[in-house]
Amino acid sequence: MTEATGTGSAAPGSAAPGPAVPVSAPPVSVPAVSAPPVLALPESGPAVIAYAAGDLRIEEVPVKAPAPHEAVVEVAYGGICGSDVHYWLHGAAGESILKAPLVLGHEISGTVAVAAADGTGPAAGTAVAVHPATPGPGDGTVRYPADRPNLSPGCTYLGSAARFPHTDGAFARFVTLPARMLRTLPAGMDLRTAALIEPASVVWHAVARAGNVAGKSALVIGSGPIGALAVAVLKRAGAARITAVDVHPKPLETAIAVGADQVLQAGEADAIAAVQADVVIESSGSHHGLASAIAGAARGGTVVMVGLLPSGPQPVLISLAITRELDLRGSFRFNSEIDEVIAALADGTLRIDPVITHEYPLTEGLEAFATAKNSAESGKVLLSFHSE
């Protein structure tokens, strides 16, 4: 881009302008402009930190001074994800292994306490959700589709030990984040419900991977928080009949509350196979669940695998998938779907509140994690970061 030439400069080769003639002007009264109040941030605040397998602590951490492109968010609620529980129980989530203490959490809602100094992002006082991903190409040797940044090899995620140094999460009273991660919430949206926006975005992406589901039959294997959210998103997308499956009665009650037409126990193999669903969402993250998903799909159907199975070889009914020409599709995190989720919550077409089953104050964080571990009795467990 070329620089604009100042309007008061003389062109080369032209005569210089004469001396300026002073012009007296009447005094102008300029009203004083008061600066917006600046929140005095504390030097530190409580956070949930995983040190190693079985070692979860609530400790004070420094509040990081924001760079010009960063904002400070006062966290209201945080949803405990399965990966958070795995870091606590096993010191790892899949192949992401703790090598140093890690602040957990990537499902949060809150309010901007200090806006980014460079003017990007929402203003102070704005209610926000957070997109926790930072896509990146890595060293450039791994190919991926440019329009699918969730697959970028250098992508980092809040509260993840996938890389070292680890990427600290957002389970803290105050968290400093790039302003580009923040999504403004519509006026009046409940911050408690907004804590579900991140996992709902994961599910929205998974359902989109199945293509147009309107008028089709759907089967959801695993009715924990992700499975229940899948039922809700399928319902909004116009699925004709939704069947939900789980090993426990409580998650099936939640599935019905968000729109399931039929529920089945995981052991009812014949009944699951009889569903013959056009679209199956596998959210259990187990090879048993994947077997049920393949068995319950109609010939020529689509199975979307959003549940993350353990690393290493897994037994799969692959011959059945081949002879029935099933489309098996992976689904990982999300991209811009978070904006569609927020819009659907705002207009009331997406109902997900029943997925939240428990809420604990941060001071009872260890009890909250113990509850989240018990999938027979809990759905989404929230931590409340409101000051006591």
Side-chain angles (χ1 to χ4, degrees):
M1 180 182 294
T2 57
E3 291 187 3
T5 304
T7 56
S9 300
S14 65
V21 178
V23 178
S24 59
V28 178
S29 175
V30 179
V33 178
S34 58
V38 177
L39 176 66
L41 292 174
E43 293 184 358
S44 64
V48 180
I49 306 172
Y51 275 77
D55 189 356
L56 186 71
R57 309 179 196 178
I58 299 173
E59 294 183 339
E60 290 285 312
V61 297
V63 176
K64 177 190 169 189
H69 68 286
E70 294 178 323
V72 180
V73 175
E74 185 175 7
V75 178
Y77 293 98
I80 299 175
C81 177
S83 63
D84 298 318
V85 175
H86 281 296
Y87 283 126
W88 162 48
L89 292 178
H90 312 297
E95 296 181 359
S96 301
I97 301 171
L98 285 177
K99 298 181 178 69
L102 173 70
V103 177
L104 298 177
H106 54 267
E107 304 176 6
I108 68 160
S109 63
T111 304
V112 176
V114 178
D118 66 1
T120 60
T126 304
V128 294
V130 172
H131 190 319
T134 300
D139 62 8
T141 62
V142 178
R143 298 174 60 242
Y144 70 97
D147 61 346
R148 296 163 73 179
N150 61 311
L151 302 180
S152 61
C155 186
T156 61
Y157 218 73
L158 295 180
S160 171
R163 307 189 184 287
F164 189 81
H166 300 329
T167 305
D168 275 334
F171 277 179
R173 185 77 180 93
F174 291 94
V175 61
T176 302
L177 300 169
R180 59 169 175 75
M181 285 187 172
L182 308 184
R183 298 295 188 273
T184 298
L185 299 178
M189 181 174 288
D190 181 16
L191 287 175
R192 191 171 182 269
T193 302
L196 291 175
I197 287 173
E198 191 276 347
S201 301
V202 170
V203 168
W204 195 286
H205 178 77
V207 172
R209 293 279 292 143
N212 183 7
V213 302
K216 295 182 179 179
S217 59
L219 174 64
V220 177
I221 305 295
S223 299
I226 291 295
L229 289 168
V231 171
V233 173
L234 285 164
K235 191 76 170 179
R236 188 211 175 261
R241 181 171 176 80
I242 304 170
T243 301
V245 176
D246 203 89
V247 296
H248 303 297
K250 179 74 172 178
L252 294 177
E253 294 174 8
T254 302
I256 291 173
V258 293
D261 301 292
Q262 176 184 222
V263 295
L264 296 171
Q265 290 286 331
E268 298 180 76
D270 291 342
I272 293 171
V275 173
Q276 300 185 63
D278 301 310
V279 173
V280 184
I281 306 295
E282 201 304 295
S283 62
S284 74
S286 75
H287 69 82
H288 299 291
L290 182 54
S292 294
I294 291 173
R299 293 170 183 263
T302 299
V303 177
V304 178
M305 300 168 288
V306 66
L308 190 60
L309 274 70
S311 59
Q314 296 290 323
V316 180
L317 292 175
I318 199 67
S319 62
L320 199 61
I322 293 169
T323 58
R324 293 185 177 181
E325 289 194 356
L326 301 182
D327 287 340
L328 304 184
R329 302 179 184 178
S331 184
F332 186 61
R333 296 177 179 167
F334 61 95
N335 294 306
S336 61
E337 291 89 348
I338 188 170
D339 301 314
E340 297 172 81
V341 169
I342 292 171
L345 288 173
D347 65 21
T349 57
L350 181 63
R351 180 171 174 267
I352 58 177
D353 286 349
V355 178
I356 301 171
T357 59
H358 295 78
E359 178 185 324
Y360 288 84
L362 178 59
T363 53
E364 298 176 17
L366 301 183
E367 292 88 340
F369 270 71
T371 299
K373 173 189 171 185
N374 184 0
S375 59
E377 295 298 330
S378 68
K380 180 57 67 178
V381 178
L382 295 186
L383 286 171
S384 171
F385 287 80
H386 293 100
S387 55
E388 299 295 323

